[in-house]
Amino acid sequence: MQNVRLLNTGSLLELSRRLRAAGGENIRQSMHRRIRRAAEPLKSDLQGSIRGLDIRGEGRRPGKRGGPSPTTRPLRASIADAIRISVRTGGSPGATVWIDRSRLPADIPMGLVNRIHDGRIRHPVFGNRRRWTQQNATPLWWDRVVRAHQPRINREIERIVDDVRRRLE
């Protein structure tokens, strides 16, 4: 799984230089806001995708003990809440959608998020490091959502760049 970068480097860099030269703070704020708005549906769909992701295990075998989960926090909701957007109009302009490690709870390592993305989660049973189990999820959930949004985002960014260019001329 990787960060998503929404940018058309050449056009945005050239536009960023022209914005600085023109000193158009209002234009820059508008561009920033519009780029963020273009990325918001992607963020929402990524959050919805992880919240609704089907994670299945083998289930409890007959005669095996079980019990409540040792954590009260839902895993998928915690990951969804850590998805963020960052927009830059300065040095390297564009937008990035990523999972912010600092917003994940301490007991959810980023490696676990990557394993969920790969579709195979192997973990100790209720923290017992002598007993392990495997759960399966739909692989590549992040990539699938990003691919679906990419054409729309590219069109939006091109439209934003063209509008800002017209305002600067």
Side-chain angles (χ1 to χ4, degrees), residues 33-126:
R33 185 175 50 252
R34 290 178 67 192
I35 290 173
R36 177 174 288 283
R37 243 187 276 140
E40 281 292 336
L42 172 61
K43 176 186 172 190
S44 297
D45 279 1
L46 285 168
Q47 289 174 326
S49 179
I50 188 65
R51 281 191 175 108
L53 188 66
D54 188 26
I55 299 177
R56 293 178 187 246
E58 301 169 355
R60 200 176 313 149
R61 293 189 185 107
K64 298 292 182 182
R65 291 176 296 183
S69 172
T71 178
T72 58
R73 187 180 45 265
L75 172 68
R76 291 171 285 214
S78 297
I79 294 171
D81 291 340
I83 296 175
R84 308 263 323 249
I85 298 176
S86 172
V87 177
R88 294 166 318 283
T89 54
S92 65
T96 305
V97 179
W98 83 102
I99 295 178
D100 187 356
R101 290 179 187 191
S102 67
R103 294 190 67 169
L104 284 173
D107 61 339
I108 299 177
M110 195 62 190
L112 175 62
V113 177
N114 291 333
R115 287 192 302 271
I116 291 172
H117 181 257
D118 293 339
R120 182 174 166 238
I121 310 130
R122 189 170 180 271
H123 61 90
V125 177
F126 295 110

Side-chain angles (χ1 to χ4, degrees), residues 147-160:
R147 264 187 255 120
H149 279 267
Q150 207 147 13
R152 181 194 57 80
I153 290 173
N154 288 338
R155 284 191 309 272
E156 283 291 315
I157 296 294
E158 286 174 18
R159 187 177 306 125
I160 293 166

